[in-house]
C-alpha cells in the first residue's frame, strides 16, 4: 500500500476506536496488548500492563527504553518470519508477536503478553533492579504479581485478539478501498467530462494534461499523438505540453514512445537522468492512450514533490484515464480530419471551377500548377506531356522553376527505364511516390535541372483513359505522401486532363470554325475585285480596337468573327448592283441597305454567338441615330457593332473605288474625328486612332463598306 494512503489508513484505525477495543479485550482476557507499526513503534498505547511492567515503563527511563527496544526487536522478528513468534522480553516475560496482514500486506504488529510461563528468578530480577536503578525490594514484590500462564492459554487468547483486530482492520481497509474506488470513479468521470468538452485536438489534449497534473501533483507533462498507421516517434505530434519552465519540458524519447506503443503498457523513466537527487532526476511515467486496444498517443507526467516516483497503483489509474483521454483525442482527431476533408473538397471544387472556366490550355496549366504548389507547400510542380508521335516525355510547364528550363528537359520513353518513377506512372497509369530518393537509391534524370529533389510524387494526367502526361510534385526534403494526399492530387490531375482535352477539342473546332467563316468571306469577296481583303482587314482592325478598349479575349474573338462576316448578307444583293461603277438609284440603295439584316438571318441557323449576329445586324447604325436597319442610337447599339462601324468606314475611305481613288490615312482619321458623336461612338474612334501604324497597314488591296 502506498505510504501516503497507509498513513491515512492508520489515522482512520485510530479514529474508529481501536484503542478502546484493545483495552476492552485486554481486560477481559487478562492480558496486556499493544499494536505497533511494522517498525515496532506504537500505533496505539499499550493497555492492561501488570504492576511489574508498569514499574519498568512508567517510573524508570532506563526500563522504559529497554522495553521499547525489546518491542522493536520482537516486531522485526515477526515481520521477518511472516508469522507469529513467541519471544522473551528483556525482563524475562513472554510475548506473542503476531503480524497483522491486510490485502496480502503486513500493515501492523500485535504484541501480547506481560505474562510468564514460570515464576521469574529472584537473581534475574535483582540484576534488572541494579541495571535500571529501581528499588530491589519493590521490583521483586512486583515480579511476584506477574501472571503465570501456560503457553497454550497465551496462544488462544492472542488468537482471539488477533482475529478481532484483523477483522476490524480488514473492514476498515474494505471501506477505505471502496472510498478510493469511488474517488477514482468520480475523478474519472470529471476527467472524461473535461477532456470531452473540446473537439479541437490541442484543446482536448491540454485540458486532459492539466487535469492529470492536478490529480497526481506532477508539475510537467506532455501529450503526444501518434501516427494512424505506424507507432513511430517520427510520426508523433506534440498535441500539448505544460511545464513550469522550458528547461523542465518533458517529451519522451523515441525509444520510450516505441516501447509504450509496442507493449501497450506504461514506461517509467527519469526525465533528467544526468542529475543526482531523485527530485532533480524528475521521475516520469509515460502512459499509453488507447482506442480499441490500439495505442494512439502517449501521456507523460513528471516532477512530483520530493522526486516521488509513480507507483504501480497510480500507473493503473492513469492508464484508465489514458483510455478516456485517448477516446476524446481520437474524436477530436476525427473531427479535425472531417474539417480538413471538407476544406479540401471545397478547395477541389474551387480549383475545378478554375480549371473548367477556361478553354485556354496554357492558362489551365498555369492556374492549376500555381494552386497546387501553394496548397500542398511543394517548392516545385511540373507538368510533363507524353508525345505519342515521337515517344518523348516533355517537360511542358513548371511552377517554381527557372525560366527556360522546360525547353531543356526531354526524356524519351525508350530512356524512361532509367527513370523508374515516370516509367511506372506511364505504364500503370497509377500514381507513384518516393519518400526519400537518396534512401531509395534512385537517380532521376527526369527531374528538372539545378534543383535538389529529395522526395517526389507523380500522378498520371488522363482524359477518358488516354494518357496525356504526368503531374509531378517535388520536395527538397524527404516527405511522406499520404494516401489521401495522393488521391487529391490524382483528382486534380483528372480534372486537368479533361480540361486540356476539352481545350484541344475546342482549339480544333475553333480552327475548323474560323476556316469555314473565312471561306464564306472569301466567297463573298470573290464576286467583287474591289472588296478583296475588305473583311479580313475590318476583322483585324476591329479586334485591335476592342483590345485597346479593354475588352476580354472572348469579345475580341467575337468582333473578329463579326468583322469577317459583317457583309455576308451582300450574297443576296444582285451582282449588277454590287459591281455598278456609278451612283446607285434609290431602289438599289434600299436593296443594299437590307444586307445587314440578311446577313444576320444567314448566321442565325448556324448558331453563331448572339453577340456576333447582333454586331452583323447593326454595324450600319449611326451613333447619333438615323442608321439602318433599326435606327438605333448611342449605347443602344451593341458595342461590337459600333466598333465594326468605325473599322468598316475607315477601310471604305482608304480603299479605291471604280469611281475614285483611295483617301489617305490622315484624311480618313480626320473624317472619323469629324463625325464622332453623329455617326461614330467617340470612345471607339479614340481607341481606333490609337491602333499602332503597323497594325493598320496590310499588304491587301481593295475595299468595300
Amino acid at each position: 500500500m502506498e505510504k501516503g494512503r497507509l498513513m491515512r489508513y492508520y489515522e482512520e484505525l485510530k479514529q474508529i476506536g481501536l484503542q478502546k477495543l484493545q483495552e476492552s479485550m485486554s481486560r477481559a482476557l487478562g492480558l496486556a496488548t499493544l499494536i505497533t507499526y511494522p517498525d515496532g513503534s506504537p500505533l496505539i498505547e499499550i493497555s492492561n500492563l501488570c504492576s511489574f511492567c508498569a514499574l519498568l515503563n512508567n517510573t524508570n527511563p532506563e526500563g522504559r527504553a529497554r522495553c521499547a527496544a525489546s518491542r522493536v526487536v520482537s516486531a522485526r522478528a515477526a515481520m521477518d518470519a511472516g508469522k507469529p513468534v513467541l519471544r522473551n522480553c528483556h525482563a524475562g516475560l513472554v510475548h506473542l508477536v503476531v503480524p497483522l496482514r491486510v490485502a496480502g500486506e503486513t500493515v501492523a504488529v500485535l504484541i501480547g503478553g506481560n505474562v510468564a510461563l514460570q515464576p521469574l528468578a529472584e537473581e534475574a530480577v535483582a540484576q534488572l533492579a541494579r541495571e535500571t536503578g529501581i528499588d530491589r525490594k519493590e521490583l521483586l514484590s512486583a515480579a511476584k504479581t506477574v501472571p503465570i500462564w501456560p503457553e497454550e492459554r497465551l496462544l488462544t487468547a492472542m488468537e482471539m485478539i488477533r482475529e478481532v483486530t484483523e477483522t476490524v482492520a480488514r473492514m476498515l481497509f474494505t471501506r477505505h478501498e471502496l472510498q478510493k474506488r469511488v474517488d477514482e470513479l468520480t475523478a474519472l468521470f470529471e476527467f472524461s467530462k473535461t477532456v470531452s468538452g473540446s473537439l479541437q485536438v490541442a484543446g482536448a489534449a491540454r485540458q486532459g494534461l492539466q487535469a492529470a497534473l492536478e490529480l497526481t501533483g506532477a508539475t510537467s507533462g506532455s501529450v503526444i499523438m501518434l501516427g494512424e498507421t505506424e507507432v513511430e516517434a517520427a510520426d508523433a505530434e506534440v498535441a500539448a505540453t505544460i511545464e513550469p519552465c522550458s528547461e523542465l519540458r518533458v517529451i519522451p524519447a523515441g525509444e520510450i514512445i516505441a516501447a509504450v506503443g509496442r507493449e501497450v503498457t506504461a514506461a517509467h523513466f527519469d526525465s533528467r537522468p544526468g542529475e543526482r537527487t531523485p527530485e532533480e532526476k524528475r521521475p516520469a511515467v509515460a502512459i499509453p492512450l488507447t482506442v480499441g486496444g490500439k495505442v494512439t498517443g502517449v501521456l507523460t507526467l513528471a516532477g512530483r514533490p520530493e522526486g516521488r516516483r509513480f507507483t504501480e497503483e497510480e500507473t493503473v489509474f492513469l492508464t484508465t484515464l489514458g483510455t478516456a483521454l485517448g477516446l476524446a483525442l481520437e474524436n477530436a482527431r476525427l473531427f479535425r480530419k472531417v474539417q480538413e476533408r471538407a476544406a479540401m473538397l471545397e478547395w477541389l471544387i474551387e480549383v475545378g471551377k478554375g480549371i473548367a472556366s477556361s478553354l485556354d490550355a496554357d492558362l489551365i496549366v498555369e492556374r492549376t500548377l500555381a494552386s497546387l504548389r501553394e496548397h500542398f507547400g511543394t517548392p516545385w510542380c511540373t507538368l510533363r506531356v507524353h508525345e505519342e508521335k515521337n515517344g518523348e516525355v516533355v517537360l511542358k510547364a513548371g511552377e517554381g522553376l527557372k525560366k527556360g528550363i522546360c525547353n531543356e528537359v526531354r526524356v524519351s520513353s525508350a530512356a524512361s527505364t532509367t527513370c523508374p518513377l515516370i516509367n511506372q506512372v506511364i505504364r500503370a497509369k497509377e500514381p507513384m511516390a518516393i519518400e526519400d530518393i537518396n534512401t531509395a537509391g534512385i537517380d532521376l534524370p527526369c527531374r528538372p535541372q539545378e534543383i535538389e529533389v529529395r522526395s517526389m510524387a507523380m500522378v498520371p494526367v488522363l482524359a477518358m483513359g488516354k494518357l496525356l502526361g504526368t503531374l509531378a510534385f517535388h520536395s527538397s526534403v524527404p516527405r511522406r505522401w499520404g494516401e489521401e494526399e495522393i488521391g487529391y492530387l490524382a483528382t486534380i490531375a483528372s480534372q486537368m486532363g479533361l480540361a486540356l482535352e476539352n481545350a484541344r477539342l475546342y482549339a480544333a473546332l475553333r480552327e475548323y470554325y474560323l476556316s469555314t467563316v473565312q471561306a464564306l468571306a472569301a466567297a463573298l469577296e470573290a464576286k467583287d475585285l474591289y472588296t478583296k481583303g475588305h473583311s479580313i482587314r475590318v476583322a483585324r482592325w476591329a479586334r485591335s480596337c476592342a483590345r485597346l478598349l479593354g475588352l476580354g479575349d472572348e469579345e475580341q474573338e467575337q468582333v473578329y468573327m463579326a468583322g469577317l462576316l459583317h457583309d455576308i448578307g451582300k450574297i443576296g444583293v444582285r451582282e449588277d448592283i454590287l459591281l455598278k461603277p456609278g451612283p446607285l438609284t434609290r431602289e438599289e440603295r434600299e436593296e443594299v441597305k437590307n444586307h445587314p439584316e440578311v446577313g444576320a438571318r444567314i448566321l442565325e441557323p448556324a448558331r453563331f454567338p448572339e453577340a456576333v449576329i447582333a454586331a452583323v445586324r447593326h454595324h450600319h447604325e449611326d451613333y447619333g441615330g438615323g442608321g439602318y436597319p433599326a435606327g438605333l442610337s448611342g449605347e443602344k447599339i451593341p458595342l461590337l457593332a459600333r466598333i465594326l462601324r468605325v473599322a468598316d468606314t475607315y477601310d471604305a475611305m482608304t480603299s479605291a473605288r471604280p469611281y475614285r481613288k483611295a483617301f489617305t490615312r490622315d484624311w480618313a482619321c480626320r473624317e472619323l474625328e469629324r463625325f464622332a458623336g453623329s455617326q461614330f461612338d467617340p470612345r471607339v474612334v479614340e481607341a481606333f486612332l490609337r491602333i499602332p501604324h503597323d497594325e493598320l497597314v496590310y499588304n491587301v488591296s481593295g475595299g468595300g463598306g
Side-chain angles (χ1 to χ4, degrees), residues 199 326-336:
L199 282 174
L327 183 60
L329 289 176
E330 187 64 17
N331 289 336
R333 179 151 61 181
L334 289 174
F335 179 72
R336 180 174 67 182

Side-chain angles (χ1 to χ4, degrees), residues 375-414:
H375 191 81
F376 287 98
T378 56
W380 311 286
C381 296
T382 57
L383 173 68
R384 291 177 174 83
V385 176
H386 183 236
E387 297 182 346
E388 293 181 323
K389 292 182 180 179
N390 54 22
E392 286 189 327
V393 180
V394 181
L395 184 58
K396 181 71 173 177
E399 183 70 19
L401 305 181
K402 70 174 187 177
K403 291 184 178 180
I405 199 172
C406 295
N407 299 325
E408 302 172 13
V409 183
R410 301 175 74 87
V411 179
S412 68
S413 57

Side-chain angles (χ1 to χ4, degrees), residues 194-209:
T194 297
V195 298
S196 62
S198 175
L199 282 174
Q200 302 299 321
V201 170
R206 186 168 186 83
Q207 289 174 359
L209 178 57

